[in-house]
Amino acid sequence: MTLVSLLIYGSLFVLLYLLEWLIPAWQGTLLQWHNPAWLVGIPASVLGSAYVLTVRNPDNYTGFYLGIAMSALLAVQCYLQHQYDLVFLYLAVFIPFLVKSILHWQQPTTDFLPSFLSVHYALSALGVAIAIVAVDYWLAGSVLSAIMIASSLLANFLMIYKKVDTWYYWLLYCASGLVLFVLVGNWFSVMLFAVMLLVNLSGLIAWLKIVRQSCDMN
């Protein structure tokens, strides 16, 4: 999956190089080789896609090791960009969640398949997400970044228990990030989030198929 992710992002970099070559005014704006934070973000994006592509298989918990490496790199990137709240988020929240997922997924059991939250718990998760958005918006003043933080927190937590709902929150995270970076004019990040949106959509489709197959067997 890491090789597949490298192929995806290799194709993306070829596209961006061609765009900068065809449109001289864009040179240095799409591919920012001079920016250390941007350089750290490249392997983080590759590992992030490989992580998602791997955990589409609910029997393969090794993808979470890629997720841990991705989170560490994203923490470095955010530190370089002086986003210290996100450094805390990746190191103190994301990585512990990923470690918990490894421990939970590798338990010897035969019935630990992807499933949906019950209506009660789904509504509770949605309420928690809305509360996190409200608090983060009050503290930082950005609705889109608040949605990204809330949705990624819920997605990481629900992934531990193989809840299909996790992919809805990952899709919300990618969609809000896509809109945010369109508004700020960061077209490289727009393309990264577009790729991640498609990758997470493939994860949702894969888990929906597994749920449907398990229902048919029962």
Side-chain angles (χ1 to χ4, degrees):
M1 289 300 102
T2 303
L3 293 176
V4 172
S5 183
L6 283 170
L7 179 61
I8 292 172
Y9 283 100
S11 301
L12 176 61
F13 279 110
V14 170
L15 174 62
L16 295 177
Y17 176 80
L18 289 174
L19 287 174
E20 285 198 345
W21 180 67
L22 292 171
I23 307 174
W26 285 5
Q27 289 185 2
T29 60
L30 298 179
L31 298 173
Q32 303 175 19
W33 302 109
H34 59 282
N35 185 344
W38 185 86
L39 291 174
V40 172
I42 295 173
S45 300
V46 173
L47 290 173
S49 292
Y51 154 58
V52 175
L53 289 169
T54 302
V55 298
R56 288 187 311 168
N57 177 359
D59 293 324
N60 189 353
Y61 61 85
T62 59
F64 291 113
Y65 293 106
L66 297 172
I68 291 172
M70 171 203 70
S71 298
L73 287 172
L74 288 174
V76 173
Q77 182 186 37
C78 292
Y79 177 81
L80 293 172
Q81 295 174 157
H82 308 293
Q83 297 170 304
Y84 302 116
D85 54 339
L86 294 180
V87 173
F88 175 83
L89 180 70
Y90 287 121
L91 294 181
V93 180
F94 277 29
I95 290 180
F97 277 171
L98 291 165
V99 171
K100 176 64 175 177
S101 294
I102 293 172
L103 297 175
H104 203 60
W105 280 38
Q106 68 181 357
Q107 292 177 1
T109 178
T110 57
D111 58 353
F112 189 35
L113 293 171
S115 61
F116 284 95
L117 288 170
S118 65
V119 174
H120 171 74
Y121 285 112
L123 291 176
S124 298
L126 181 61
V128 170
I130 292 172
I132 295 173
V133 169
V135 171
D136 191 82
Y137 176 72
W138 178 66
L139 293 173
S142 173
V143 174
L144 289 171
S145 62
I147 292 174
M148 291 176 68
I149 289 174
S151 57
S152 60
L153 282 172
L154 264 294
N156 273 288
F157 177 76
L158 294 175
M159 182 68 80
I160 297 172
Y161 304 100
K162 290 189 180 178
K163 297 303 179 183
V164 179
D165 310 62
T166 190
W167 298 107
Y168 297 131
Y169 286 102
W170 278 129
L171 290 173
L172 178 60
Y173 168 81
C174 293
S176 55
L178 195 61
V179 174
L180 175 64
F181 289 115
V182 166
L183 293 176
V184 300
N186 187 335
W187 301 111
F188 177 76
S189 293
V190 167
M191 293 185 182
L192 288 183
F193 271 83
V195 171
M196 287 299 297
L197 186 66
L198 295 175
V199 170
N200 281 282
L201 181 60
S202 73
L204 171 62
I205 293 171
W207 280 31
L208 288 175
K209 289 180 179 178
I210 295 171
V211 171
R212 190 177 302 114
Q213 290 170 358
S214 63
C215 290
D216 291 340
M217 292 175 62
N218 296 328

